[in-house]
Amino acid sequence: MTSRYVRVACLALSVFVICPLLASCGDSGEKYPGQKAVTYEVNAADKPIVINVLENDKKFLSVVVTIDITNKDDVKLLTEKNHWIRDTIIEIGRKKTLENLQSADIMETYGNEIAEAISQQFSISSIYKVSFPTFYLN
């Protein structure tokens, strides 16, 4: 009977104490104090970018890409240069091996490479994070 009360108490503790703490520990979307990140969608969720993996002609990578930036003015630039950004995403993705695409940190490294290429091409430093709401290797 006592173990039952202990389980209920642990469950209550996790729901009312631990879950809110975990939720508040997440990314606040702020790179610098007082600046919120704005999310720019490179492509819509219903139109993913499909990349043929060169190493294996039967494998395809399907991605939806979003870019979080801290300067709202850069959204206009990214919108105007969307075709270049899409081509860059495809170019970087095609260089990946099947082993790279199956690694645990692929979304972080691929996102960093995309952010670096965009930053260098357009001389912007407001890119906070590149995310992949959809990242599917078929």
Side-chain angles (χ1 to χ4, degrees), residues 13-33:
L13 178 68
S14 66
V15 169
F16 294 110
V17 176
I18 297 173
C19 288
L21 287 175
L22 290 176
S24 67
C25 290
D27 186 10
S28 65
E30 293 189 6
K31 183 173 184 178
Y32 306 104

Side-chain angles (χ1 to χ4, degrees), residues 7-8 20 23 28 43-45 47 50 65-66 77 80 86 91 95 105 112 119 127 133:
R7 281 187 256 156
V8 170
S28 65
N43 56 314
K47 298 188 188 255
V50 179
V65 182
T66 60
L77 174 67
E80 291 171 357
R86 286 178 58 90
E91 180 183 335
K95 292 177 183 176
D105 63 344
N112 289 342
S119 295
I127 295 178

Side-chain angles (χ1 to χ4, degrees), residues 13-128:
L13 178 68
S14 66
V15 169
F16 294 110
V17 176
I18 297 173
C19 288
L21 287 175
L22 290 176
S24 67
C25 290
D27 186 10
S28 65
E30 293 189 6
K31 183 173 184 178
Y32 306 104
Q35 290 185 339
K36 284 283 191 183
V38 178
T39 300
Y40 171 74
E41 289 185 340
V42 176
N43 56 314
D46 62 339
K47 298 188 188 255
I49 299 171
V50 179
I51 304 164
N52 185 13
V53 180
L54 289 179
E55 185 178 279
N56 183 339
D57 63 348
K58 295 180 182 178
K59 293 286 184 182
F60 293 90
L61 176 64
S62 177
V63 294
V64 172
V65 182
T66 60
I67 302 171
D68 293 340
I69 54 177
T70 57
N71 185 349
K72 293 179 183 179
D73 296 333
D74 288 337
V75 172
K76 184 177 180 182
L77 174 67
L78 294 178
T79 303
E80 291 171 357
K81 303 299 182 182
N82 191 51
H83 62 282
W84 185 90
I85 295 169
R86 286 178 58 90
D87 289 347
T88 300
I89 291 167
I90 293 168
E91 180 183 335
I92 293 171
R94 287 180 62 92
K95 292 177 183 176
K96 300 290 182 197
T97 64
L98 196 55
E99 184 178 322
N100 292 139
L101 293 171
Q102 293 173 336
S103 68
D105 63 344
I106 183 59
M107 286 191 253
E108 182 180 346
T109 57
Y110 190 21
N112 289 342
E113 290 173 12
I114 293 168
E116 184 178 326
I118 294 170
S119 295
Q120 287 178 355
Q121 179 68 25
F122 302 117
S123 301
I124 59 174
S125 60
S126 63
I127 295 178
Y128 176 66

